[in-house]
Amino acid sequence: MMMISICSIGLQRFLFTPSPQQLTSQGICYWGEELRTPMQVRCKAGAVPLMKQSHKFLSSLSSPALAGDPSATNRHIKKFVAASPKSVSLNVLSHLLSPHTSLPHLSFFALSLYSEITEASWFDWNPKLIAELVALLNKQERFHESETLLSTAASNLKSNERDFTLFLCNLAESNSKQRSAQGFNQACVRLREISQRTSSVYVKTQAYKSMVSGLCNMDQPNDAETVIEEMRIEKLKPGVFEYKSVLYGYGRLGLFDDMNKILHRMETEGYRVDTVCSNMVLSSYGAHDALSQMGSWLQKLKDFNVPLSLRTYNTVLNSCPTVTSLLKDLNSCPLSVSELLTFLNEDEVILVRVLTQSSVLDEAMEWSSLEGKLDLHGMHLSSSYLIMMQWMDEIKARFSDEKCVVPAEIVVVSGSGKHSSVRGESPVKALVKKMMVRTGSPMRIDRKNVGSFIAKGKTVKEWICQ
């Protein structure tokens, strides 16, 4: 393998501007008429959330003034890195490297951005970041650039077997998430070579774990099972991580019999089905509209005292078509759990009832003489909707008890939209505001924190108990 140092390759001369042909081969038209107006940057679910300055920069990078002018674009990137703190520059780069980025045409400039970042005084060489960048370049079929970066990483790390193995593990994972078969297969070949010659159990285990996880990301859970069997031959005990990867790999494909087979094997080998594992099963059922199986699984979790989580709420309620449909019109959606149940089909009723019997609401609430708070952070729109209705029932019950402590203030934290698909536009905040208005609540947006609603505890008690 070539020995190339990061200085000798001169990354600043590596600034890449895609040709119109390369962009159109990816289904993108960058130089044409489509970008006459600035693009509104949205964040897909799973993408790295953007900071305010990052959002502004990416919007400017989409400007028609830069379209068709590679030199101007590169100068714009250089100026941005020079003027921005480390956190902002890395935030933009991480967003562009994400497999879930909503800006695939701008991801072509990730290498240019990285090149400028390497010139910053605060720059620290990061092998995980290199792995993500190599995977993106492989996805874009820019194999010359990716091989150069890969060679650099190899020359920096190959003297340390453990560090080099972890780099290859990151490389396999990143390529699988980018769906780059060539890059993933090459990483796996190298991992196999290392696992065959090393005497380190840790190195062998990490190599196999990455191959199992990557194969599942590539929708090859059956091949991942084969790798697990190879681990047994090598006297390595497969862990819960490997089993969860295969379980979810089958589940995402709708192969529920195979998914349940893995669940049974986990139980046989002494691995308890926990909340994370149960959410994978629920997500798999939800992705294939298998609501009755989802209800049966939730009931099984209840019987085995497996706690539900906020992610459980998100997964289940996002899979309920009636709930998501009702939330399209905030002016007419039901405002109580009992009313909501009358709109749902039989399977959805079962799901909502099991959720409302869980402890998720209690975990989202705080209650003291100073403050009664409900925190909706991390909740999707459908979860916030149900939790809000449960919360109103709960505080009504508490205030109806003469012995109940009346907090000085009642606060509902909705967030201000920093992590929303459009920054500053929070669907959850809009939902809470509409519910407050429709129910005649005295709670108003807090002037000191626009991501919260606030009111005096006594005022809320008078309202809810009237």
Side-chain angles (χ1 to χ4, degrees), residues 402-421:
E402 293 182 357
K403 298 180 181 180
C404 172
V405 172
V406 178
E409 291 184 331
I410 300 293
V411 180
V412 174
V413 182
S414 65
S416 58
K418 290 182 179 179
H419 305 304
S420 302
S421 60

Side-chain angles (χ1 to χ4, degrees), residues 46-211:
V48 175
L50 285 170
M51 299 177 179
K52 186 175 182 179
Q53 296 142 291
S54 306
H55 186 280
K56 182 178 180 180
F57 169 69
L58 288 174
S59 296
S60 69
L61 200 58
S62 304
S63 168
L66 298 179
D69 191 342
S71 297
T73 300
N74 288 332
R75 286 195 302 271
H76 189 61
I77 293 172
K78 184 180 185 71
K79 182 178 178 182
F80 164 73
V81 174
S84 301
K86 176 180 178 178
S87 59
V88 175
S89 295
L90 292 179
N91 178 243
V92 173
L93 180 60
S94 296
H95 185 81
L96 294 179
L97 293 177
S98 170
H100 306 289
T101 181
S102 53
L103 308 167
H105 66 292
L106 294 186
S107 70
F108 274 90
F109 296 102
L111 181 58
S112 300
L113 178 60
Y114 176 76
S115 301
E116 292 299 339
I117 285 174
T118 63
E119 300 299 311
S121 59
W122 47 259
F123 173 72
D124 290 315
W125 192 78
N126 186 326
K128 188 175 188 299
L129 201 61
I130 291 290
E132 293 175 355
L133 182 53
V134 167
L136 175 63
L137 294 172
N138 285 335
K139 177 184 179 181
Q140 296 169 349
E141 300 183 0
R142 295 161 61 184
F143 299 117
H144 173 67
E145 289 99 331
S146 70
E147 186 58 38
T148 301
L149 287 173
L150 191 55
S151 298
T152 301
S155 65
N156 287 345
L157 297 170
K158 72 175 187 177
S159 61
N160 186 312
E161 182 185 64
R162 178 175 289 204
D163 287 348
F164 186 50
T165 301
L166 292 178
F167 168 71
L168 291 177
C169 290
N170 287 328
L171 191 63
E173 178 186 5
S174 298
N175 275 289
S176 67
K177 289 181 177 179
Q178 292 285 6
R179 314 291 287 183
S180 172
Q182 179 172 321
F184 173 69
N185 291 335
Q186 289 175 345
C188 285
V189 167
R190 289 169 174 167
L191 284 172
R192 283 191 179 279
E193 290 173 351
I194 288 178
S195 64
Q196 288 169 4
R197 69 171 182 258
T198 187
S199 59
S200 168
V201 173
Y202 174 82
V203 167
K204 283 180 180 286
T205 301
Q206 295 305 310
Y208 278 112
K209 284 174 67 173
S210 294
M211 287 189 282

Side-chain angles (χ1 to χ4, degrees), residues 284-302:
S284 300
Y285 285 138
H288 295 275
D289 300 320
L291 297 191
S292 60
Q293 290 98 315
M294 186 179 274
S296 299
W297 180 251
L298 275 178
Q299 190 58 54
K300 183 183 293 187
L301 297 178
K302 182 179 178 182

Side-chain angles (χ1 to χ4, degrees), residues 9 101 110 120 335 391:
I9 61 173
T101 181
L335 294 175
W391 175 76

Side-chain angles (χ1 to χ4, degrees), residues 390-405:
Q390 288 182 251
W391 175 76
M392 287 190 283
D393 288 342
E394 174 65 20
I395 63 171
K396 183 174 184 178
R398 292 192 184 197
F399 281 136
S400 297
D401 183 351
E402 293 182 357
K403 298 180 181 180
C404 172
V405 172

Side-chain angles (χ1 to χ4, degrees), residues 180-405:
S180 172
Q182 179 172 321
F184 173 69
N185 291 335
Q186 289 175 345
C188 285
V189 167
R190 289 169 174 167
L191 284 172
R192 283 191 179 279
E193 290 173 351
I194 288 178
S195 64
Q196 288 169 4
R197 69 171 182 258
T198 187
S199 59
S200 168
V201 173
Y202 174 82
V203 167
K204 283 180 180 286
T205 301
Q206 295 305 310
Y208 278 112
K209 284 174 67 173
S210 294
M211 287 189 282
V212 169
S213 175
L215 285 166
C216 293
N217 289 337
M218 298 290 287
D219 293 336
Q220 297 172 245
N222 190 56
D223 291 334
E225 267 201 274
T226 301
V227 174
I228 287 179
E229 294 308 313
E230 290 178 21
M231 292 182 71
R232 296 182 190 281
I233 295 173
E234 292 289 328
K235 310 299 183 184
L236 300 173
K237 183 181 179 181
V240 68
F241 173 85
E242 292 91 314
Y243 282 122
K244 285 180 179 179
S245 296
V246 176
L247 177 151
Y248 194 43
Y250 280 128
R252 284 202 328 270
L253 296 174
L255 302 173
F256 298 142
D257 289 341
D258 291 304
M259 180 180 73
N260 288 320
K261 176 189 68 177
I262 298 299
L263 279 169
H264 178 70
R265 184 178 295 182
M266 289 177 67
E267 293 171 354
T268 300
E269 298 196 9
Y271 293 115
R272 181 176 178 271
V273 176
D274 58 13
T275 303
V276 174
C277 185
S278 68
N279 286 340
M280 289 178 171
V281 174
L282 289 169
S283 179
S284 300
Y285 285 138
H288 295 275
D289 300 320
L291 297 191
S292 60
Q293 290 98 315
M294 186 179 274
S296 299
W297 180 251
L298 275 178
Q299 190 58 54
K300 183 183 293 187
L301 297 178
K302 182 179 178 182
D303 295 340
F304 284 98
N305 294 317
V306 176
L308 305 189
S309 67
L310 183 53
R311 187 178 292 271
T312 309
Y313 258 68
N314 291 338
T315 299
V316 172
L317 292 171
N318 287 345
S319 302
C320 293
T322 305
V323 175
T324 55
S325 177
L326 287 169
L327 288 174
K328 291 179 180 178
D329 185 0
L330 300 182
N331 290 310
S332 62
C333 59
L335 294 175
S336 69
V337 176
S338 58
E339 184 185 2
L340 173 65
L341 293 174
T342 65
F343 284 80
L344 306 181
N345 62 43
E346 184 177 349
D347 289 331
E348 292 171 317
V349 167
I350 292 173
L351 295 175
V352 168
R353 281 181 171 160
V354 173
L355 291 180
T356 56
Q357 293 167 5
S358 73
S359 62
V360 173
L361 173 63
D362 292 336
E363 293 165 5
M365 286 183 65
E366 296 177 14
W367 196 270
S368 69
S369 59
L370 295 176
E371 182 181 68
K373 183 168 73 172
L374 174 67
D375 192 344
L376 301 177
H377 274 116
M379 299 186 193
H380 294 181
L381 188 65
S382 53
S383 299
S384 300
Y385 174 55
L386 180 57
I387 286 288
M388 277 294 297
M389 292 187 292
Q390 288 182 251
W391 175 76
M392 287 190 283
D393 288 342
E394 174 65 20
I395 63 171
K396 183 174 184 178
R398 292 192 184 197
F399 281 136
S400 297
D401 183 351
E402 293 182 357
K403 298 180 181 180
C404 172
V405 172

